[in-house]
mmCIF file with all atom_site columns, all heavy atoms in Angstrom:
data_model
loop_
_atom_site.group_PDB
_atom_site.id
_atom_site.type_symbol
_atom_site.label_atom_id
_atom_site.label_alt_id
_atom_site.label_comp_id
_atom_site.label_asym_id
_atom_site.label_entity_id
_atom_site.label_seq_id
_atom_site.pdbx_PDB_ins_code
_atom_site.Cartn_x
_atom_site.Cartn_y
_atom_site.Cartn_z
_atom_site.occupancy
_atom_site.B_iso_or_equiv
_atom_site.pdbx_formal_charge
_atom_site.auth_seq_id
_atom_site.auth_comp_id
_atom_site.auth_asym_id
_atom_site.auth_atom_id
_atom_site.pdbx_PDB_model_num
ATOM 1   N N   . LEU R 1 185 ? -21.955 16.751 6.188  1.00 96.00 ? 480 LEU R N   1
ATOM 2   C CA  . LEU R 1 185 ? -23.269 16.084 6.434  1.00 96.00 ? 480 LEU R CA  1
ATOM 3   C C   . LEU R 1 185 ? -23.125 14.591 6.766  1.00 96.00 ? 480 LEU R C   1
ATOM 4   O O   . LEU R 1 185 ? -22.401 13.831 6.073  1.00 96.00 ? 480 LEU R O   1
ATOM 5   C CB  . LEU R 1 185 ? -24.073 16.186 5.122  1.00 96.00 ? 480 LEU R CB  1
ATOM 6   C CG  . LEU R 1 185 ? -24.400 17.640 4.603  1.00 96.00 ? 480 LEU R CG  1
ATOM 7   C CD1 . LEU R 1 185 ? -25.247 17.579 3.374  1.00 96.00 ? 480 LEU R CD1 1
ATOM 8   C CD2 . LEU R 1 185 ? -25.068 18.451 5.736  1.00 96.00 ? 480 LEU R CD2 1
ATOM 9   N N   . SER R 1 187 ? -25.939 12.837 6.765  1.00 92.00 ? 482 SER R N   1
ATOM 10  C CA  . SER R 1 187 ? -26.934 12.284 5.857  1.00 92.00 ? 482 SER R CA  1
ATOM 11  C C   . SER R 1 187 ? -27.449 13.381 4.992  1.00 92.00 ? 482 SER R C   1
ATOM 12  O O   . SER R 1 187 ? -27.116 14.553 5.174  1.00 92.00 ? 482 SER R O   1
ATOM 13  C CB  . SER R 1 187 ? -27.981 11.554 6.623  1.00 92.00 ? 482 SER R CB  1
ATOM 14  O OG  . SER R 1 187 ? -28.457 12.382 7.621  1.00 92.00 ? 482 SER R OG  1
ATOM 15  N N   . PHE R 1 188 ? -28.306 13.055 4.079  1.00 94.00 ? 483 PHE R N   1
ATOM 16  C CA  . PHE R 1 188 ? -29.001 13.988 3.134  1.00 94.00 ? 483 PHE R CA  1
ATOM 17  C C   . PHE R 1 188 ? -28.050 14.710 2.232  1.00 94.00 ? 483 PHE R C   1
ATOM 18  O O   . PHE R 1 188 ? -28.291 15.797 1.651  1.00 94.00 ? 483 PHE R O   1
ATOM 19  C CB  . PHE R 1 188 ? -29.843 15.004 3.976  1.00 94.00 ? 483 PHE R CB  1
ATOM 20  C CG  . PHE R 1 188 ? -31.001 14.416 4.674  1.00 94.00 ? 483 PHE R CG  1
ATOM 21  C CD1 . PHE R 1 188 ? -30.908 13.997 6.012  1.00 94.00 ? 483 PHE R CD1 1
ATOM 22  C CD2 . PHE R 1 188 ? -32.213 14.192 3.978  1.00 94.00 ? 483 PHE R CD2 1
ATOM 23  C CE1 . PHE R 1 188 ? -32.025 13.432 6.643  1.00 94.00 ? 483 PHE R CE1 1
ATOM 24  C CE2 . PHE R 1 188 ? -33.239 13.649 4.617  1.00 94.00 ? 483 PHE R CE2 1
ATOM 25  C CZ  . PHE R 1 188 ? -33.170 13.273 5.924  1.00 94.00 ? 483 PHE R CZ  1
ATOM 26  N N   . GLU R 1 189 ? -26.885 14.067 1.878  1.00 95.00 ? 484 GLU R N   1
ATOM 27  C CA  . GLU R 1 189 ? -25.929 14.703 1.056  1.00 95.00 ? 484 GLU R CA  1
ATOM 28  C C   . GLU R 1 189 ? -26.471 14.717 -0.394 1.00 95.00 ? 484 GLU R C   1
ATOM 29  O O   . GLU R 1 189 ? -26.249 15.664 -1.137 1.00 95.00 ? 484 GLU R O   1
ATOM 30  C CB  . GLU R 1 189 ? -24.625 14.033 1.121  1.00 95.00 ? 484 GLU R CB  1
ATOM 31  C CG  . GLU R 1 189 ? -24.498 12.589 0.483  1.00 95.00 ? 484 GLU R CG  1
ATOM 32  C CD  . GLU R 1 189 ? -25.066 11.527 1.521  1.00 95.00 ? 484 GLU R CD  1
ATOM 33  O OE1 . GLU R 1 189 ? -25.525 11.995 2.589  1.00 95.00 ? 484 GLU R OE1 1
ATOM 34  O OE2 . GLU R 1 189 ? -24.932 10.387 1.228  1.00 95.00 ? 484 GLU R OE2 1
ATOM 35  N N   . PHE R 1 191 ? -29.714 15.205 -1.208 1.00 95.00 ? 486 PHE R N   1
ATOM 36  C CA  . PHE R 1 191 ? -30.624 16.279 -1.275 1.00 95.00 ? 486 PHE R CA  1
ATOM 37  C C   . PHE R 1 191 ? -29.932 17.648 -1.409 1.00 95.00 ? 486 PHE R C   1
ATOM 38  O O   . PHE R 1 191 ? -30.300 18.546 -2.243 1.00 95.00 ? 486 PHE R O   1
ATOM 39  C CB  . PHE R 1 191 ? -31.548 16.233 -0.096 1.00 95.00 ? 486 PHE R CB  1
ATOM 40  C CG  . PHE R 1 191 ? -32.557 17.406 -0.181 1.00 95.00 ? 486 PHE R CG  1
ATOM 41  C CD1 . PHE R 1 191 ? -33.776 17.212 -0.815 1.00 95.00 ? 486 PHE R CD1 1
ATOM 42  C CD2 . PHE R 1 191 ? -32.305 18.644 0.528  1.00 95.00 ? 486 PHE R CD2 1
ATOM 43  C CE1 . PHE R 1 191 ? -34.750 18.283 -0.882 1.00 95.00 ? 486 PHE R CE1 1
ATOM 44  C CE2 . PHE R 1 191 ? -33.332 19.628 0.493  1.00 95.00 ? 486 PHE R CE2 1
ATOM 45  C CZ  . PHE R 1 191 ? -34.451 19.454 -0.241 1.00 95.00 ? 486 PHE R CZ  1
ATOM 46  N N   . GLU R 1 192 ? -28.826 17.753 -0.656 1.00 96.00 ? 487 GLU R N   1
ATOM 47  C CA  . GLU R 1 192 ? -28.052 19.089 -0.676 1.00 96.00 ? 487 GLU R CA  1
ATOM 48  C C   . GLU R 1 192 ? -27.479 19.272 -2.046 1.00 96.00 ? 487 GLU R C   1
ATOM 49  O O   . GLU R 1 192 ? -27.539 20.434 -2.566 1.00 96.00 ? 487 GLU R O   1
ATOM 50  C CB  . GLU R 1 192 ? -27.012 19.028 0.366  1.00 96.00 ? 487 GLU R CB  1
ATOM 51  C CG  . GLU R 1 192 ? -26.365 20.342 0.747  1.00 96.00 ? 487 GLU R CG  1
ATOM 52  C CD  . GLU R 1 192 ? -25.193 20.749 -0.213 1.00 96.00 ? 487 GLU R CD  1
ATOM 53  O OE1 . GLU R 1 192 ? -24.693 19.827 -0.780 1.00 96.00 ? 487 GLU R OE1 1
ATOM 54  O OE2 . GLU R 1 192 ? -24.942 21.903 -0.408 1.00 96.00 ? 487 GLU R OE2 1
ATOM 55  N N   . SER R 1 195 ? -30.199 20.203 -4.507 1.00 95.00 ? 490 SER R N   1
ATOM 56  C CA  . SER R 1 195 ? -30.714 21.598 -4.327 1.00 95.00 ? 490 SER R CA  1
ATOM 57  C C   . SER R 1 195 ? -29.792 22.626 -4.981 1.00 95.00 ? 490 SER R C   1
ATOM 58  O O   . SER R 1 195 ? -30.250 23.644 -5.531 1.00 95.00 ? 490 SER R O   1
ATOM 59  C CB  . SER R 1 195 ? -30.894 21.898 -2.834 1.00 95.00 ? 490 SER R CB  1
ATOM 60  O OG  . SER R 1 195 ? -29.648 22.070 -2.192 1.00 95.00 ? 490 SER R OG  1
ATOM 61  N N   . ASN R 1 235 ? -28.700 13.443 13.036 1.00 94.00 ? 530 ASN R N   1
ATOM 62  C CA  . ASN R 1 235 ? -28.571 14.937 13.079 1.00 94.00 ? 530 ASN R CA  1
ATOM 63  C C   . ASN R 1 235 ? -28.608 15.525 11.596 1.00 94.00 ? 530 ASN R C   1
ATOM 64  O O   . ASN R 1 235 ? -28.560 16.732 11.487 1.00 94.00 ? 530 ASN R O   1
ATOM 65  C CB  . ASN R 1 235 ? -27.280 15.305 13.716 1.00 94.00 ? 530 ASN R CB  1
ATOM 66  C CG  . ASN R 1 235 ? -27.145 14.859 15.098 1.00 94.00 ? 530 ASN R CG  1
ATOM 67  O OD1 . ASN R 1 235 ? -28.102 14.290 15.695 1.00 94.00 ? 530 ASN R OD1 1
ATOM 68  N ND2 . ASN R 1 235 ? -25.936 14.962 15.724 1.00 94.00 ? 530 ASN R ND2 1
ATOM 69  N N   . GLY R 1 236 ? -28.692 14.669 10.615 1.00 93.00 ? 531 GLY R N   1
ATOM 70  C CA  . GLY R 1 236 ? -28.564 15.085 9.232  1.00 93.00 ? 531 GLY R CA  1
ATOM 71  C C   . GLY R 1 236 ? -29.588 16.113 8.793  1.00 93.00 ? 531 GLY R C   1
ATOM 72  O O   . GLY R 1 236 ? -29.273 17.030 7.968  1.00 93.00 ? 531 GLY R O   1
ATOM 73  N N   . VAL R 1 237 ? -30.821 16.021 9.307  1.00 95.00 ? 532 VAL R N   1
ATOM 74  C CA  . VAL R 1 237 ? -31.861 17.006 8.892  1.00 95.00 ? 532 VAL R CA  1
ATOM 75  C C   . VAL R 1 237 ? -31.454 18.418 9.295  1.00 95.00 ? 532 VAL R C   1
ATOM 76  O O   . VAL R 1 237 ? -31.560 19.368 8.527  1.00 95.00 ? 532 VAL R O   1
ATOM 77  C CB  . VAL R 1 237 ? -33.206 16.662 9.404  1.00 95.00 ? 532 VAL R CB  1
ATOM 78  C CG1 . VAL R 1 237 ? -34.254 17.682 8.920  1.00 95.00 ? 532 VAL R CG1 1
ATOM 79  C CG2 . VAL R 1 237 ? -33.673 15.292 9.028  1.00 95.00 ? 532 VAL R CG2 1
ATOM 80  N N   . GLY R 1 238 ? -30.982 18.539 10.553 1.00 96.00 ? 533 GLY R N   1
ATOM 81  C CA  . GLY R 1 238 ? -30.513 19.822 11.041 1.00 96.00 ? 533 GLY R CA  1
ATOM 82  C C   . GLY R 1 238 ? -29.299 20.339 10.315 1.00 96.00 ? 533 GLY R C   1
ATOM 83  O O   . GLY R 1 238 ? -29.191 21.486 10.001 1.00 96.00 ? 533 GLY R O   1
ATOM 84  N N   . GLN R 1 239 ? -28.372 19.444 10.033 1.00 96.00 ? 534 GLN R N   1
ATOM 85  C CA  . GLN R 1 239 ? -27.143 19.781 9.338  1.00 96.00 ? 534 GLN R CA  1
ATOM 86  C C   . GLN R 1 239 ? -27.465 20.335 7.877  1.00 96.00 ? 534 GLN R C   1
ATOM 87  O O   . GLN R 1 239 ? -26.964 21.404 7.448  1.00 96.00 ? 534 GLN R O   1
ATOM 88  C CB  . GLN R 1 239 ? -26.171 18.623 9.260  1.00 96.00 ? 534 GLN R CB  1
ATOM 89  C CG  . GLN R 1 239 ? -25.567 18.260 10.527 1.00 96.00 ? 534 GLN R CG  1
ATOM 90  C CD  . GLN R 1 239 ? -24.737 16.963 10.395 1.00 96.00 ? 534 GLN R CD  1
ATOM 91  O OE1 . GLN R 1 239 ? -25.038 16.089 9.625  1.00 96.00 ? 534 GLN R OE1 1
ATOM 92  N NE2 . GLN R 1 239 ? -23.673 16.897 11.166 1.00 96.00 ? 534 GLN R NE2 1
ATOM 93  N N   . VAL R 1 240 ? -28.283 19.601 7.192  1.00 96.00 ? 535 VAL R N   1
ATOM 94  C CA  . VAL R 1 240 ? -28.597 19.914 5.811  1.00 96.00 ? 535 VAL R CA  1
ATOM 95  C C   . VAL R 1 240 ? -29.534 21.183 5.755  1.00 96.00 ? 535 VAL R C   1
ATOM 96  O O   . VAL R 1 240 ? -29.391 22.066 4.858  1.00 96.00 ? 535 VAL R O   1
ATOM 97  C CB  . VAL R 1 240 ? -29.244 18.828 5.014  1.00 96.00 ? 535 VAL R CB  1
ATOM 98  C CG1 . VAL R 1 240 ? -30.692 18.561 5.395  1.00 96.00 ? 535 VAL R CG1 1
ATOM 99  C CG2 . VAL R 1 240 ? -29.140 19.046 3.504  1.00 96.00 ? 535 VAL R CG2 1
ATOM 100 N N   . SER R 1 241 ? -30.356 21.328 6.720  1.00 96.00 ? 536 SER R N   1
ATOM 101 C CA  . SER R 1 241 ? -31.207 22.626 6.777  1.00 96.00 ? 536 SER R CA  1
ATOM 102 C C   . SER R 1 241 ? -30.335 23.834 6.955  1.00 96.00 ? 536 SER R C   1
ATOM 103 O O   . SER R 1 241 ? -30.501 24.882 6.312  1.00 96.00 ? 536 SER R O   1
ATOM 104 C CB  . SER R 1 241 ? -32.159 22.405 7.982  1.00 96.00 ? 536 SER R CB  1
ATOM 105 O OG  . SER R 1 241 ? -33.060 21.381 7.769  1.00 96.00 ? 536 SER R OG  1
ATOM 106 N N   . ARG R 1 242 ? -29.242 23.739 7.839  1.00 95.00 ? 537 ARG R N   1
ATOM 107 C CA  . ARG R 1 242 ? -28.444 24.922 8.054  1.00 95.00 ? 537 ARG R CA  1
ATOM 108 C C   . ARG R 1 242 ? -27.600 25.149 6.790  1.00 95.00 ? 537 ARG R C   1
ATOM 109 O O   . ARG R 1 242 ? -27.466 26.266 6.383  1.00 95.00 ? 537 ARG R O   1
ATOM 110 C CB  . ARG R 1 242 ? -27.526 24.623 9.217  1.00 95.00 ? 537 ARG R CB  1
ATOM 111 C CG  . ARG R 1 242 ? -26.562 25.739 9.542  1.00 95.00 ? 537 ARG R CG  1
ATOM 112 C CD  . ARG R 1 242 ? -25.726 25.490 10.733 1.00 95.00 ? 537 ARG R CD  1
ATOM 113 N NE  . ARG R 1 242 ? -24.599 26.393 10.827 1.00 95.00 ? 537 ARG R NE  1
ATOM 114 C CZ  . ARG R 1 242 ? -23.640 26.350 11.803 1.00 95.00 ? 537 ARG R CZ  1
ATOM 115 N NH1 . ARG R 1 242 ? -23.743 25.360 12.753 1.00 95.00 ? 537 ARG R NH1 1
ATOM 116 N NH2 . ARG R 1 242 ? -22.677 27.188 11.884 1.00 95.00 ? 537 ARG R NH2 1
ATOM 117 N N   . ALA R 1 243 ? -27.153 24.074 6.169  1.00 95.00 ? 538 ALA R N   1
ATOM 118 C CA  . ALA R 1 243 ? -26.289 24.296 4.927  1.00 95.00 ? 538 ALA R CA  1
ATOM 119 C C   . ALA R 1 243 ? -27.133 24.938 3.856  1.00 95.00 ? 538 ALA R C   1
ATOM 120 O O   . ALA R 1 243 ? -26.633 25.832 3.143  1.00 95.00 ? 538 ALA R O   1
ATOM 121 C CB  . ALA R 1 243 ? -25.834 22.961 4.442  1.00 95.00 ? 538 ALA R CB  1
ATOM 122 N N   . ILE R 1 244 ? -28.423 24.610 3.721  1.00 94.00 ? 539 ILE R N   1
ATOM 123 C CA  . ILE R 1 244 ? -29.211 25.103 2.573  1.00 94.00 ? 539 ILE R CA  1
ATOM 124 C C   . ILE R 1 244 ? -29.601 26.555 2.879  1.00 94.00 ? 539 ILE R C   1
ATOM 125 O O   . ILE R 1 244 ? -29.633 27.372 2.058  1.00 94.00 ? 539 ILE R O   1
ATOM 126 C CB  . ILE R 1 244 ? -30.427 24.256 2.346  1.00 94.00 ? 539 ILE R CB  1
ATOM 127 C CG1 . ILE R 1 244 ? -29.900 22.844 1.788  1.00 94.00 ? 539 ILE R CG1 1
ATOM 128 C CG2 . ILE R 1 244 ? -31.426 24.811 1.466  1.00 94.00 ? 539 ILE R CG2 1
ATOM 129 C CD1 . ILE R 1 244 ? -31.070 21.801 1.614  1.00 94.00 ? 539 ILE R CD1 1
ATOM 130 N N   . LEU R 1 245 ? -29.993 26.790 4.169  1.00 93.00 ? 540 LEU R N   1
ATOM 131 C CA  . LEU R 1 245 ? -30.440 28.141 4.547  1.00 93.00 ? 540 LEU R CA  1
ATOM 132 C C   . LEU R 1 245 ? -29.249 29.147 4.383  1.00 93.00 ? 540 LEU R C   1
ATOM 133 O O   . LEU R 1 245 ? -29.617 30.374 4.282  1.00 93.00 ? 540 LEU R O   1
ATOM 134 C CB  . LEU R 1 245 ? -30.943 28.152 5.952  1.00 93.00 ? 540 LEU R CB  1
ATOM 135 C CG  . LEU R 1 245 ? -32.325 27.508 6.196  1.00 93.00 ? 540 LEU R CG  1
ATOM 136 C CD1 . LEU R 1 245 ? -32.654 27.448 7.640  1.00 93.00 ? 540 LEU R CD1 1
ATOM 137 C CD2 . LEU R 1 245 ? -33.436 28.247 5.428  1.00 93.00 ? 540 LEU R CD2 1
ATOM 138 N N   . ARG R 1 247 ? -27.442 29.501 1.918  1.00 87.00 ? 542 ARG R N   1
ATOM 139 C CA  . ARG R 1 247 ? -27.318 29.927 0.491  1.00 87.00 ? 542 ARG R CA  1
ATOM 140 C C   . ARG R 1 247 ? -28.396 30.757 0.087  1.00 87.00 ? 542 ARG R C   1
ATOM 141 O O   . ARG R 1 247 ? -29.525 30.775 0.678  1.00 87.00 ? 542 ARG R O   1
ATOM 142 C CB  . ARG R 1 247 ? -27.336 28.628 -0.392 1.00 87.00 ? 542 ARG R CB  1
ATOM 143 C CG  . ARG R 1 247 ? -26.197 27.701 -0.094 1.00 87.00 ? 542 ARG R CG  1
ATOM 144 C CD  . ARG R 1 247 ? -25.945 26.703 -1.310 1.00 87.00 ? 542 ARG R CD  1
ATOM 145 N NE  . ARG R 1 247 ? -27.206 26.150 -1.825 1.00 87.00 ? 542 ARG R NE  1
ATOM 146 C CZ  . ARG R 1 247 ? -27.648 25.078 -1.505 1.00 87.00 ? 542 ARG R CZ  1
ATOM 147 N NH1 . ARG R 1 247 ? -27.085 24.211 -0.672 1.00 87.00 ? 542 ARG R NH1 1
ATOM 148 N NH2 . ARG R 1 247 ? -28.765 24.583 -2.012 1.00 87.00 ? 542 ARG R NH2 1
ATOM 149 N N   . LEU R 1 254 ? -35.399 24.447 0.940  1.00 89.00 ? 549 LEU R N   1
ATOM 150 C CA  . LEU R 1 254 ? -35.785 23.650 2.205  1.00 89.00 ? 549 LEU R CA  1
ATOM 151 C C   . LEU R 1 254 ? -37.239 23.289 2.230  1.00 89.00 ? 549 LEU R C   1
ATOM 152 O O   . LEU R 1 254 ? -37.566 22.291 2.864  1.00 89.00 ? 549 LEU R O   1
ATOM 153 C CB  . LEU R 1 254 ? -35.398 24.620 3.329  1.00 89.00 ? 549 LEU R CB  1
ATOM 154 C CG  . LEU R 1 254 ? -35.354 23.957 4.741  1.00 89.00 ? 549 LEU R CG  1
ATOM 155 C CD1 . LEU R 1 254 ? -34.344 22.711 4.777  1.00 89.00 ? 549 LEU R CD1 1
ATOM 156 C CD2 . LEU R 1 254 ? -35.051 24.858 5.807  1.00 89.00 ? 549 LEU R CD2 1
ATOM 157 N N   . LEU R 1 257 ? -37.875 19.663 1.507  1.00 92.00 ? 552 LEU R N   1
ATOM 158 C CA  . LEU R 1 257 ? -37.299 18.644 2.410  1.00 92.00 ? 552 LEU R CA  1
ATOM 159 C C   . LEU R 1 257 ? -38.423 18.166 3.343  1.00 92.00 ? 552 LEU R C   1
ATOM 160 O O   . LEU R 1 257 ? -38.610 18.762 4.373  1.00 92.00 ? 552 LEU R O   1
ATOM 161 C CB  . LEU R 1 257 ? -36.154 19.187 3.110  1.00 92.00 ? 552 LEU R CB  1
ATOM 162 C CG  . LEU R 1 257 ? -35.411 18.156 4.057  1.00 92.00 ? 552 LEU R CG  1
ATOM 163 C CD1 . LEU R 1 257 ? -34.806 17.021 3.198  1.00 92.00 ? 552 LEU R CD1 1
ATOM 164 C CD2 . LEU R 1 257 ? -34.294 18.910 4.792  1.00 92.00 ? 552 LEU R CD2 1
ATOM 165 N N   . GLY R 1 328 ? -27.838 18.797 15.057 1.00 96.00 ? 623 GLY R N   1
ATOM 166 C CA  . GLY R 1 328 ? -27.239 18.931 13.739 1.00 96.00 ? 623 GLY R CA  1
ATOM 167 C C   . GLY R 1 328 ? -27.178 20.379 13.331 1.00 96.00 ? 623 GLY R C   1
ATOM 168 O O   . GLY R 1 328 ? -26.264 20.928 12.690 1.00 96.00 ? 623 GLY R O   1
ATOM 169 N N   . ARG R 1 333 ? -19.267 23.757 11.435 1.00 93.00 ? 628 ARG R N   1
ATOM 170 C CA  . ARG R 1 333 ? -19.148 23.448 9.985  1.00 93.00 ? 628 ARG R CA  1
ATOM 171 C C   . ARG R 1 333 ? -17.774 23.896 9.471  1.00 93.00 ? 628 ARG R C   1
ATOM 172 O O   . ARG R 1 333 ? -17.279 24.903 9.928  1.00 93.00 ? 628 ARG R O   1
ATOM 173 C CB  . ARG R 1 333 ? -20.208 24.058 9.194  1.00 93.00 ? 628 ARG R CB  1
ATOM 174 C CG  . ARG R 1 333 ? -21.520 23.351 9.372  1.00 93.00 ? 628 ARG R CG  1
ATOM 175 C CD  . ARG R 1 333 ? -22.563 24.144 8.478  1.00 93.00 ? 628 ARG R CD  1
ATOM 176 N NE  . ARG R 1 333 ? -22.240 24.377 7.040  1.00 93.00 ? 628 ARG R NE  1
ATOM 177 C CZ  . ARG R 1 333 ? -22.367 23.442 6.167  1.00 93.00 ? 628 ARG R CZ  1
ATOM 178 N NH1 . ARG R 1 333 ? -22.876 22.273 6.387  1.00 93.00 ? 628 ARG R NH1 1
ATOM 179 N NH2 . ARG R 1 333 ? -22.002 23.749 4.841  1.00 93.00 ? 628 ARG R NH2 1
#
Side-chain angles (χ1 to χ4, degrees):
L480 299 183
S482 53
F483 293 96
E484 68 278 7
F486 181 83
E487 193 276 335
S490 71
N530 301 354
V532 180
Q534 292 175 326
V535 74
S536 297
R537 179 175 170 185
I539 290 174
L540 286 173
R542 303 201 310 264
L549 193 60
L552 184 61
R628 283 178 54 81

